[in-house]
């Protein structure tokens, strides 16, 4: 069994991005600039956005953080999105999700200029990706494909089962893996899938993206399969300094010995998601998509 080291691959990609930023600056180009909008004080969102800002610094990007309290109105938020769309110094921005219930996430996503939508959530980017046009691809699916590529994992003609059909991970990943450069045969399984164990056992590459800790057990995995764990559920823990611990969607200790490759949690997909946002921001700053 080979442990897929997402932390190491992400660090390599960060170095590649930092080198490109340096080259841009030396040629008198603009410093890439990412902005993040954070509403409220959700612990997970606070952590993720803090990482995004820290990552920008590490590769030489500029970053800006715009904060609102939970009671911000939809109108105020949409007006900030418009302002960021028009700010020529900002190359890309994200609005951290989830948003409070009184704000329509879809309305906010659709208000973002697709050219600055480095999350790849705007329907225009999703649509472009589906038909194979240059687009911003959402961070986790892009990161997973990059991990498979950098570990030279064979995808041609392989059976890939993705458990979970979210707009952020499962659905876009299913499109990417079925594209011509990758050529996997893709099944998207979900809560209504019949014989889920059997469907998963048929996977050469099994992606767990359901958000249920330790959902994938030994009996759901074929001998020699590649297992990609997208789960990042924060659970309380008295063993860590922060008081929280991340749990994946795969029961790692039981499943690992059956796999040819497996991603750990933490240190697998998570760091790849982080670096993919930097990748998209660099693409936005250098006009590589639009
Ligand atoms: N919430 C959880 N993941 C993400 C992400 O990738 N982008 C944004 N904007 N919000 C998130």
């Amino acid at each position: 069994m080979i442990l897929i080291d997402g932390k190491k691959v992400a660090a390599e990609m960060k170095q590649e991005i930092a080198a490109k930023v340096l080259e841009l600056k030396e040629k008198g180009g603009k410093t890439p600039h990412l902005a993040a909008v954070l509403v409220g004080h959700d612990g997970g969102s606070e952590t993720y956005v803090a990482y995004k800002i820290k990552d920008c610094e590490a590769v030489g990007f500029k970053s800006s953080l715009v904060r609102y309290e939970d009671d911000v109105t939809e109108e105020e938020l949409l007006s900030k999105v418009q302002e960021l769309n028009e700010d020529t110094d900002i190359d890309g921005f994200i609005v951290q999700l989830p948003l409070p219930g009184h704000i329509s996430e879809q309305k906010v996503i659709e208000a973002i200029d697709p050219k600055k939508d480095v999350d790849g959530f705007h329907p225009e980017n999703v649509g472009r990706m589906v038909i194979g046009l240059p687009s911003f691809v959402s961070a986790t699916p892009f990161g997973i494909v990059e991990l498979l590529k950098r570990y030279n994992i064979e995808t041609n003609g392989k059976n890939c089962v993705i458990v979970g059909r979210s707009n952020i991970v499962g659905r876009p990943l299913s499109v990417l893996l079925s594209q011509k450069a990758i050529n996997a045969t893709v099944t998207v399984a979900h809560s209504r899938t019949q014989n889920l164990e059997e469907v998963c056992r048929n996977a050469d590459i099994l992606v767990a993206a359901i958000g249920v800790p330790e959902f994938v057990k030994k009996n759901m995995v074929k001998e020699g399969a590649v297992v990609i764990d997208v789960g990042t559920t924060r659970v309380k823990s008295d063993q860590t300094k922060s008081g929280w611990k991340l749990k994946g969607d795969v029961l790692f200790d039981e499943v690992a010995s059956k796999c040819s490759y497996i991603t750990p949690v933490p240190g697998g997909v998570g760091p790849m998601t982080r670096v993919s946002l930097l990748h998209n921001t660099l693409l936005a700053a250098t006009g590589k998509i639009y």
Side-chain angles (χ1 to χ4, degrees):
M1 179 275 288
I2 295 173
L3 197 64
I4 297 181
D5 191 345
K7 212 169 151 183
K8 184 168 141 251
V9 175
E12 284 164 14
M13 287 178 70
K14 257 164 109 170
Q15 278 187 0
E16 292 163 15
I17 293 169
K20 284 185 187 150
V21 173
L22 211 59
E23 201 184 312
L24 261 181
K25 289 182 187 172
E26 276 168 8
K27 286 184 181 156
K30 182 185 167 301
T31 302
H33 186 176
L34 173 75
V37 180
L38 175 59
V39 178
H41 298 274
D42 172 76
S45 294
E46 293 260 10
T47 307
Y48 293 135
V49 169
Y51 280 148
K52 289 171 188 181
I53 300 289
K54 195 171 142 230
D55 289 342
C56 283
E57 279 169 25
V59 295
F61 288 179
K62 255 171 91 176
S63 63
S64 301
L65 174 60
V66 183
R67 293 200 70 134
Y68 289 103
E69 292 301 321
D70 272 317
D71 60 359
V72 64
T73 64
E74 187 177 272
E75 202 185 347
E76 275 176 282
L77 195 57
L78 288 171
S79 137
K80 177 51 77 175
V81 167
Q82 203 48 43
E83 193 186 312
L84 294 169
N85 283 342
E86 286 163 13
D87 185 334
T88 52
D89 194 59
I90 287 169
D91 299 296
F93 65 97
I94 63 133
V95 178
Q96 187 66 25
L97 305 177
L99 293 171
H102 65 280
I103 299 175
S104 159
E105 289 185 352
Q106 198 53 34
K107 228 178 183 171
V108 172
I109 288 170
E110 290 186 32
I112 297 173
D113 180 346
K115 296 176 182 62
K116 294 194 175 188
D117 168 39
V118 285
D119 260 330
F121 292 169
H122 192 284
E124 188 167 323
N125 277 311
V126 178
R128 288 173 67 98
M129 181 202 58
V130 170
I131 58 172
L133 288 175
S135 63
F136 291 112
V137 174
S138 55
T140 303
F142 179 85
I144 292 171
V145 169
E146 203 58 29
L147 265 186
L148 296 173
K149 282 186 187 163
R150 290 187 183 229
Y151 270 83
N152 292 316
I153 291 170
E154 182 62 78
T155 53
N156 259 289
K158 296 293 179 189
N159 282 329
C160 178
V161 175
I162 302 167
V163 192
R165 55 181 161 182
S166 71
N167 288 343
I168 294 183
V169 183
R171 216 181 286 279
L173 182 63
S174 71
V175 173
L176 290 181
L177 292 176
S178 69
Q179 274 172 349
K180 272 203 169 143
I182 300 180
N183 293 315
T185 304
V186 183
T187 303
V188 180
H190 44 76
S191 53
R192 303 290 176 92
T193 297
Q194 288 183 0
N195 306 321
L196 182 64
E197 285 177 26
E198 196 185 320
V199 170
C200 290
R201 264 203 312 274
N202 192 35
D204 302 309
I205 301 171
L206 179 64
V207 181
I210 342 126
V212 179
E214 301 177 338
F215 181 84
V216 172
K217 315 272 195 303
K218 203 174 179 173
N219 61 339
M220 298 166 81
V221 178
K222 177 162 85 175
E223 196 73 47
V226 176
V227 173
I228 307 291
D229 189 348
V230 184
T232 51
T233 307
R234 291 166 92 237
V235 293
K236 286 217 158 106
S237 167
D238 51 18
Q239 292 157 359
T240 63
K241 222 165 54 183
S242 65
W244 295 94
K245 175 177 166 185
L246 282 187
K247 271 213 167 151
D249 287 353
V250 176
L251 187 50
F252 185 93
D253 290 344
E254 199 182 283
V255 168
S257 63
K258 279 188 99 173
C259 303
S260 55
Y261 293 87
I262 186 167
T263 61
V265 176
V269 173
M272 295 301 293
T273 298
R274 281 172 60 180
V275 77
S276 299
L277 180 64
L278 299 175
H279 168 87
N280 278 350
T281 305
L282 184 61
L283 291 178
T286 50
K288 289 279 165 59
I289 301 292
Y290 290 96

